[in-house]
Amino acid sequence: MDRKYNFAAGPAMLPEDVLREAREELLSWHGSGMSIMEVSHRGPEFETVIHESQQDLKSLLNIPDNYHVLFLQGGARLQFSMIPMNILGSKKKAGYVNTGVWSKQALEEAKRYCDVTVVADSESDHYTSIPEYNTWQFADDLAYLYYVDNETVNGVEFPDIPETNQVLVSDMSSNLLSRPVDISKFGIVYACAQKNIGPAGLTIVIIRDDLLEREPLAFAPSMLRYELHVKNQSLLNTPPTFSWYMAGLVFKYLKAHGGLAAMAAINQKKSQKLYEFIDSSQFYQNPVRPRYRSRMNVVFTLTDNNLDALFLKLAEKEGLTNLKGHRIVGGMRASIYNAMPEAGVDALIDFMQHFVKHHG
Ligand code: PMP
């Protein structure tokens, strides 16, 4: 069967070995005579999935013991509300770094619950850089400081963790598991699954235990309280069992392939190749300052945007799919998460070269 190179931003490609493994055991999980989709989330089969996925994720990310790992629902977007609802505590203000479409949406949502201080903002330069840390305006009374480690739409990624004494909260939806990260620097790290982790429907939240002592806003429903999810070990209600199981397979796959250091090396190589090609060409452009370019989402435009439709059509013919940029920014976007093989990036570069030759 021919599989395409799928450059979608999410849901995105999954490792082929993981898909095969899931297919192998789809009808009978580990000889149980039942699909993992058909078993109780509280039964012994799923208990194994829960236990192993937790352990594997902890070991992949080297998560310290004073953190809880939650497997929740509601997508990344629900965290835009859950974070202020749970973490404001007695404070009234939260700080947000605005570096792209997803930070902007998160800070707008937070305004429902608190005073939002925009600590740094790159909107005026069309989200093509990240303001230097020494220009960030800190207030002392922030409940937390929120930033998006990788802006999926704008193709902007933090090269390192900002130095701060604030409680750092980070949306790592589109780059968690793509490189090692020092979790101990954070209050909360979260990510939806549908990019580097597994199928949609699952959101991973890693939260430091002292933050659970903060009182949630009085009206917060029980399903939106971290402390209840922790108490119930993410089984407050029926979780998205199949997505959770698939994420577990992805964790095992990553461990077997050298862990996050190995992923970081290959992701660096793949993205560098593509950026070098774009920079060497007169026909394609990437607007992001090199230091802040995303290793996951490579955005680019064609010099003549009248050719966009033709570019996409011909790419599709070559099995290179979902290259259209986000509707907000236009142009093209190649999302090249862990599961995109280097051969996929090579095929894209070949196609882009060929396209310039014939239509540029
Ligand atoms: N944050 C980031 C960085 C994202 O890329 C996305 C989805 N593309 C979201 C939040 C929203 O995720 P969801 O659709 O799971 O709510």
Side-chain angles (χ1 to χ4, degrees):
M1 192 205 323
D2 277 343
R3 284 195 28 99
K4 291 183 175 174
Y5 290 123
N6 175 9
F7 294 91
M13 284 179 88
L14 287 165
E16 217 168 285
D17 288 357
V18 165
L19 293 173
R20 283 215 185 81
E21 198 176 345
R23 181 176 65 184
E24 278 305 301
E25 54 192 29
L26 190 69
L27 294 183
S28 176
W29 182 82
H30 293 197
S32 64
M34 294 174 282
S35 171
I36 199 71
M37 280 187 273
E38 301 171 307
V39 301
S40 165
H41 56 295
R42 300 186 196 278
E45 297 86 5
F46 205 71
E47 217 169 81
T48 306
V49 169
I50 291 176
H51 178 73
E52 291 185 5
S53 59
Q54 297 252 13
Q55 290 313 313
D56 289 339
L57 184 62
K58 282 184 179 166
S59 90
L60 276 169
L61 279 166
N62 220 345
I63 300 176
D65 288 342
N66 59 328
Y67 284 76
H68 301 278
V69 179
L70 298 172
F71 292 77
L72 305 181
Q73 303 177 58
R77 192 178 275 269
L78 189 57
Q79 296 309 309
F80 299 177
S81 310
M82 280 182 78
I83 288 160
M85 274 187 190
N86 285 274
I87 307 302
L88 282 170
S90 58
K91 300 201 170 155
K92 301 268 182 288
K93 272 192 204 161
Y96 280 74
V97 184
N98 182 20
T99 53
V101 164
W102 291 110
S103 357
K104 180 77 172 188
Q105 298 203 27
L107 75 86
E108 289 299 335
E109 187 68 20
K111 285 180 183 169
R112 293 171 180 271
Y113 311 102
C114 60
D115 292 340
V116 166
T117 304
V118 178
V119 162
D121 197 336
S122 62
E123 191 170 357
S124 61
D125 74 8
H126 307 286
Y127 297 129
T128 54
S129 69
I130 292 171
E132 296 292 335
Y133 303 152
N134 61 10
T135 66
W136 294 15
Q137 304 281 334
F138 286 110
D140 283 337
D141 52 351
L142 298 179
Y144 59 86
L145 177 60
Y146 181 107
Y147 78 98
V148 180
D149 206 43
N150 182 66
E151 282 283 358
T152 322
V153 171
N154 308 87
V156 173
E157 187 174 28
F158 275 71
D160 45 30
I161 303 172
E163 276 305 324
T164 169
N165 53 3
Q166 306 284 332
V167 173
L168 259 192
V169 172
S170 188
D171 175 354
M172 296 198 187
S173 287
S174 43
N175 66 352
L176 190 69
L177 303 185
S178 72
R179 62 183 176 190
V181 52
D182 182 355
I183 296 291
S184 74
K185 297 259 193 306
F186 295 89
I188 296 178
V189 166
Y190 77 90
C192 54
Q194 63 269 20
K195 293 139 192 329
N196 271 318
I197 296 170
L202 186 72
T203 304
I204 290 181
V205 176
I206 303 166
I207 179 166
R208 207 173 62 212
D209 60 6
D210 62 286
L211 295 177
L212 299 171
E213 285 158 25
R214 298 191 183 183
E215 190 64 36
L217 300 182
F219 60 81
S222 43
M223 268 299 281
L224 303 189
R225 290 173 178 247
Y226 292 129
E227 116 247 23
L228 276 179
H229 287 293
V230 167
K231 255 185 216 145
N232 288 277
Q233 296 169 334
S234 303
L235 296 180
L236 183 56
N237 75 332
T238 316
T241 49
F242 190 70
S243 295
W244 192 337
Y245 151 79
M246 288 293 288
L249 293 186
V250 170
F251 301 158
K252 287 192 189 305
Y253 171 87
L254 295 178
K255 280 180 75 175
H257 287 80
L260 303 192
M263 290 305 122
I266 173 84
N267 287 327
Q268 185 62 31
K269 187 167 175 222
K270 285 187 301 186
S271 56
Q272 199 169 325
K273 252 190 195 179
L274 189 46
Y275 285 120
E276 274 172 10
F277 169 69
I278 291 170
D279 287 345
S280 71
S281 133
Q282 301 294 312
F283 185 73
Y284 302 103
Q285 294 88 31
N286 171 286
V288 182
R289 286 211 5 229
R291 178 168 159 70
Y292 305 115
R293 285 175 171 174
S294 168
R295 301 158 308 125
M296 300 281 100
N297 311 98
V298 178
V299 296
F300 61 92
T301 51
L302 278 50
T303 298
D304 178 1
N305 61 15
N306 290 319
L307 292 172
D308 284 8
L310 183 65
F311 179 91
L312 291 166
K313 189 173 145 202
L314 296 180
E316 193 67 52
K317 269 198 183 155
E318 297 300 315
L320 309 169
T321 195
N322 287 317
L323 282 162
K324 196 170 183 328
H326 192 278
R327 61 187 187 282
I328 298 176
V329 295
M332 307 294 157
R333 172 175 51 174
S335 295
I336 50 174
Y337 302 118
N338 286 345
M340 173 61 68
E342 192 175 347
V345 174
D346 293 340
L348 175 60
I349 293 173
D350 279 352
F351 168 74
M352 288 167 76
Q353 269 166 337
H354 194 260
F355 187 84
V356 184
K357 215 186 260 165
H358 294 271
H359 306 281

